[in-house]
C-alpha cells in the first residue's frame, strides 16, 4: 500500500470512529436531556443495534453488483450524515425513532463494506491492518475524551452540531474512494449457515458472545448517564471514556502474544471474569472516580482481549477461508445484532426499576451467564475425554 493509499484509508477510519466516539457515549445524554426516560434511551439504542442485523448483508449485496463499489460507500455516508442531521429537527415523537432507524441502518451499513475494501487492498500485507485501524481508535479517543467537557459548556443541544463535522469528514474520506473498483479476487463458495451452526463448538461460542454483548448493554446505553447521576461532571465522564479507549489500544497491540501464550479459551475465561468484576464495581462504587478509573482499565480485557480471543476461536473452528465470511456474518449478527438489541432492552428495564446500580448489576449477572456458557462445555468435554 502506497503512502497516499494509507492516508486515504486511515482518514476514513478517523472520521467514522470519531463520529462513533460522539454517538456512543453521548447519545443517551442528549436523549435524556430532551426529557425522555430510560425506555426511550433503550429503544434508541435497540434501533441502532437492529441496524447491524439488517444493513450490512443488504448493503454488501448491492455494492458487490456495482462496477464502482466506492460510489455506494459515498452514498451510504451521505445518507448517514443526512439521517443524523435529522436529530436537529426531531428530538421527540415518532420522528425521533424514524430518524434513529435511518441513521442506524446507513451508518452501520458502510463499515463492513469498507473493512472488506481495506483487507482486499492490503492483500498479503493484512498484518498492516492494525496500523490503519488504529486511526479509528485515535478518532474515538479524541472525541469521547473531550465532548463531555464541551457539552457541559455549550449545552446538550450542541451534541448534533458537534457530531456533524465528523460525519462530513467521513463523507469527504469516502469521496476519495469513489472510483475504487472491485479487486480481482475469487469469490468464496457459498456456505450454508445451518452447517456452520452444527459444527462442534460453534453454538457455545455464539451463546457466549451473545451473552457478553448483552452484559455490555448497560455500559453502551447508560454509562454516561450513570456517571452523571453519581455526580461526575463532563470532564470526568470524558476522561473515563478516554481511559477505556487507551487501554483498548494498548491491548490490541499485545493481545496476539497473549493469545499465543495462553490460548483463546483460557484468555476469554479471564476476560469474562474480569467483566463480571468490572460491572459490579461500576454498580457499587459509581461515585468514586478512582474506582471508575480502575473499572475502565478492564476494557482492555473485556473488549480488546476478548475480541482477539474470539477471532482466534473463529479461526480454529473455521480454518477454511470459504467458510469464514459466512461464519463472521453469523458471529456479527449474534453479538452486535441480537445481543446488542437484547442488551439495550434489559438495560432499559433495569434502569427504570433501579437506576444505574440495578442496570450494571444486571450486566454482571448476565456476564456470569456468559462465563458459565463459556467454561462449562469445555469442562464437560475434558471430563468425557478423561473418562474415555
Amino acid at each position: 500500500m502506497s503512502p497516499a493509499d494509507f492516508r486515504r484509508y486511515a482518514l476514513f477510519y478517523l472520521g467514522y470512529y470519531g463520529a462513533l466516539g460522539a454517538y456512543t457515549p453521548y447519545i443517551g445524554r442528549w436523549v435524556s436531556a430532551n426529557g425522555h426516560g430510560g425506555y426511550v434511551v433503550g429503544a434508541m439504542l435497540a434501533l441502532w443495534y437492529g441496524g447491524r442485523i439488517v444493513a450490512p448483508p443488504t448493503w454488501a449485496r448491492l455494492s458487490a453488483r456495482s462496477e464502482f463499489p466506492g460510489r455506494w460507500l459515498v452514498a451510504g455516508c451521505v445518507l448517514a450524515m443526512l439521517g443524523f442531521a435529522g436529530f436537529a429537527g426531531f428530538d421527540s415523537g415518532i420522528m425521533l425513532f424514524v430518524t434513529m432507524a435511518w441513521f442506524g441502518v446507513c451508518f452501520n451499513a458502510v463499515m463492513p463494506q469498507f473493512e472488506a475494501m481495506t483487507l482486499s487492498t492490503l492483500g498479503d500485507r493484512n498484518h498492516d491492518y492494525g496500523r490503519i485501524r488504529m486511526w479509528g481508535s485515535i478518532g474515538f479517543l479524541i472525541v469521547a475524551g473531550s465532548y463531555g467537557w464541551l457539552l457541559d459548556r455549550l449545552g446538550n443541544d450542541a451534541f448534533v452540531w458537534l457530531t456533524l463535522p465528523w460525519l462530513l469528514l467521513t463523507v469527504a474520506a469516502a469521496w476519495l474512494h469513489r472510483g475504487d473498483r472491485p479487486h480481482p479476487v475469487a469469490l468464496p463458495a457459498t456456505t450454508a449457515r445451518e452447517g456452520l451452526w452444527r459444527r462442534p463448538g460453534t453454538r457455545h461460542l455464539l451463546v457466549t458472545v451473545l451473552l457478553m454483548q448483552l452484559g455490555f448493554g448497560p455500559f453502551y446505553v447508560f454509562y454516561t448517564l450513570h456517571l452523571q447521576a453519581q455526580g461526575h461532571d463532563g470532564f470526568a465522564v470524558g476522561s473515563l471514556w478516554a481511559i477505556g479507549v487507551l487501554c483498548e489500544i494498548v491491548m490490541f497491540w499485545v493481545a496476539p502474544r497473549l493469545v499465543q501464550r495462553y490460548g483463546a479459551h483460557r484468555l476469554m475465561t479471564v476476560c469474562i471474569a474480569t467483566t463480571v468484576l468490572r460491572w459490579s464495581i461500576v454498580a457499587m462504587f459509581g461515585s468514586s472516580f478512582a474506582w471508575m478509573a480502575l473499572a475502565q482499565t478492564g476494557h482492555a480485557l473485556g473488549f480488546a482481549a476478548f475480541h482477539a480471543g474470539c477471532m482466534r476461536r473463529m479461526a480454529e473452528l473455521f480454518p477454511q477461508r470459504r467458510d469464514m465470511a459466512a461464519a463472521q456474518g453469523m458471529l456479527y449478527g449474534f453479538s452486535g445484532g441480537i445481543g446488542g438489541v437484547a442488551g439495550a432492552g434489559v438495560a432499559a428495564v433495569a434502569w427504570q426499576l433501579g437506576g444505574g446500580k440495578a442496570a450494571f448489576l444486571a450486566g454482571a449477572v448476565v456476564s456470569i451467564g456468559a462465563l458459565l456458557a463459556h467454561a462449562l462445555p469445555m469442562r464437560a468435554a475434558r471430563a468425557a475425554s478423561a473418562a474415555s
Side-chain angles (χ1 to χ4, degrees), residues 302-349:
F303 179 79
F306 182 80
H307 178 74
C310 282
M311 292 304 101
R312 172 58 67 90
R313 284 293 295 140
M314 292 292 287
E316 293 170 352
L317 291 169
F318 308 102
Q320 296 180 329
R321 292 185 62 184
R322 64 184 178 85
D323 296 335
M324 183 54 72
Q328 286 284 2
M330 188 166 57
L331 179 71
Y332 189 79
F334 263 81
S335 61
I338 298 172
V341 172
V346 170
V349 172

Side-chain angles (χ1 to χ4, degrees), residues 50-120:
R52 292 185 174 185
I53 300 175
V54 300
T58 303
W59 199 261
R61 285 194 294 269
L62 293 171
S63 61
R65 298 170 183 169
S66 174
E67 185 179 358
F68 296 97
R71 295 177 183 176
W72 281 94
L73 181 71
V74 175
C77 292
V78 170
L79 289 172
M81 183 179 68
L82 293 175
F84 193 87
F87 286 129
F90 304 112
D91 56 13
S92 63
I94 188 64
M95 287 305 299
L96 175 67
F97 297 107
V98 171
T99 303
M100 180 67 253
W102 177 357
F103 172 65
V105 166
C106 295
F107 197 68
N108 282 310
V110 296
M111 181 47 72
Q113 179 196 355
F114 191 75
E115 292 271 45
M117 292 168 63
T118 303
L119 293 173
S120 181

Side-chain angles (χ1 to χ4, degrees), residues 260-341:
Q260 188 70 27
R261 180 172 181 179
Y262 297 107
H265 186 271
R266 186 180 301 175
L267 180 62
M268 290 171 67
T269 302
V270 174
C271 292
I272 302 172
T274 301
T275 301
V276 174
L277 179 61
R278 179 187 181 190
W279 300 150
S280 300
I281 291 174
V282 173
M284 303 305 296
F285 305 105
S287 61
S288 168
F289 182 87
W291 277 108
M292 292 303 93
L294 177 64
Q296 277 297 83
T297 63
H299 201 63
L301 288 169
F303 179 79
F306 182 80
H307 178 74
C310 282
M311 292 304 101
R312 172 58 67 90
R313 284 293 295 140
M314 292 292 287
E316 293 170 352
L317 291 169
F318 308 102
Q320 296 180 329
R321 292 185 62 184
R322 64 184 178 85
D323 296 335
M324 183 54 72
Q328 286 284 2
M330 188 166 57
L331 179 71
Y332 189 79
F334 263 81
S335 61
I338 298 172
V341 172

Side-chain angles (χ1 to χ4, degrees), residues 147-202:
Y147 273 32
W149 178 85
L150 283 172
L151 291 175
D152 277 356
R153 278 145 186 81
L154 300 177
N156 291 300
D157 289 340
F159 166 73
V160 176
W161 306 107
L162 287 172
T163 307
L164 281 173
W166 288 95
L167 290 166
L168 181 61
L169 175 60
T170 305
V171 172
W175 182 257
L176 299 177
H177 296 271
R178 65 192 182 281
D180 289 7
R181 292 176 176 268
H183 289 263
V185 295
L187 294 175
T190 302
T191 303
R193 289 195 175 185
E194 292 78 8
L196 301 179
W197 173 260
R198 296 191 184 97
R199 191 166 299 187
T202 300

